[in-house]
Amino acid sequence: MDEFDRIDRSGSNAEKYVLREKLFGTDRVQPMWVADMDIATPKCVLEAVFERLKHPVIGYEIMSDRAYEAQIMWMHTHHAFEIQREWLTFSPSVVASIGCAIRAFSDVDDEVIVMSPVYPPFFSQVKENNRRLISHSLQLDNTGEYHFDIDVLRSKITSKTKILLLCSPHNPIGKVWRDDELLSLGALCLEYGIVIVSDEVHCDIVYEEHTHIPIASLTNELCECSVTLLGTGKTFNMAGFSISTVCIASEALRKKYKKELDKVHFGEGSVLSHIAFEAAYRDGGTWYGKLMSHLHANRDKIVQWSRRNTIIRVTPPQGTYLAWMDCRALGLGDKELREFFIHEAGLGLSPGLSFGREGSGFMRLNFAVAPYVLEDALEKISNALRGRGYD
Ligand SMILES: Cc1ncc(COP(=O)(O)O)c(C=O)c1O
């Protein structure tokens, strides 16, 4: 069987499948929503875990230096980001780290900037921690690319603005931020003493001429004011291991973060996750290369499909395995659009509106599936469109 062939996830409690009835009102949809892949986790990861299970004690364990070193080496090789061991701490979840960082670097009623549309926990973590949201609308140009407006951003900053929550690469729009964009955001944050919390969990899924640049790797000043969230969840399809890291170079920021961390007691997580994490970064390079060819081919399929079909527009994602489908020309309200995909196309996608009001009229499709599953999904959309009189 091809390593990237369809994986039957029935018999597991995969969210993507078991929540269909609840989310879409039917389990008769092909689920292409939550951001994990219908692709097997690499063998090197599974084998390392099997090997560890030969030891009969699964007690409290700390994450080994070897595991951190494997991540440091990966970030050096793939992103030219030179991380020091003491900058890194374990986290069971990137979203939990966002919450922790918000509490560590701001007070109740302080302001946090997010750029919308964006991954929904960016909004909810700010609100649930009783901070105020400064939402900046990214502007779509006529080539389908999104941009921020630095002057508008600047005009929103007050003495209470403490954090910029950056999504890099940006889910759901698939944007890989360029160095000039990051430098301009970074200069603004440095000018106003704003801490940059950069969620870079999608950093390895980047296509062609685009290069992911960790914002903390750009200059020493940016390194000192940034908190970078990294992990194996997306790259190696191992979200279920609940492991990631928080990278903070500044000793002062690290102290504040640690104080907050002590309150939540994340502990050190599971030994099986430590083993999986180390194996992925140490031995997963070849698998990762093949994964990128697979995702690249799928991405091209969607883009070609969208060129043939003029009513739904998909700008080639620069990063992530998520296609941001502009369905506004269909002229449907968001509820109707969702119903159209569920009942007429038989697909369970993420509604654009869940990523902020700027996502109205869009749908997000997860294309990390076998090629024929994707072809079938695109065919279903084409047929549903034909049913409505579009060619
Ligand atoms: C940008 C981004 N951050 C974080 C996460 C989730 O990370 P975790 O499961 O480690 O909380 C996702 C998952 O889709 C994501 O897209």
Side-chain angles (χ1 to χ4, degrees), residues 35 92-96 98 119 122 167 169 171 199 201-202 234 239 244:
S93 145
V94 173
V95 174
I98 291 175
Y119 178 56
F122 275 47
C167 195
N171 170 9
D199 176 344
V201 74
H202 292 276
K234 303 294 165 204
S244 59

Side-chain angles (χ1 to χ4, degrees), residues 201-220:
V201 74
H202 292 276
C203 68
D204 298 312
I205 315 290
V206 166
Y207 305 101
E208 289 170 343
E209 69 277 18
H210 305 284
T211 306
H212 170 74
I213 305 168
I215 191 161
S217 72
L218 277 169
T219 65
N220 288 340

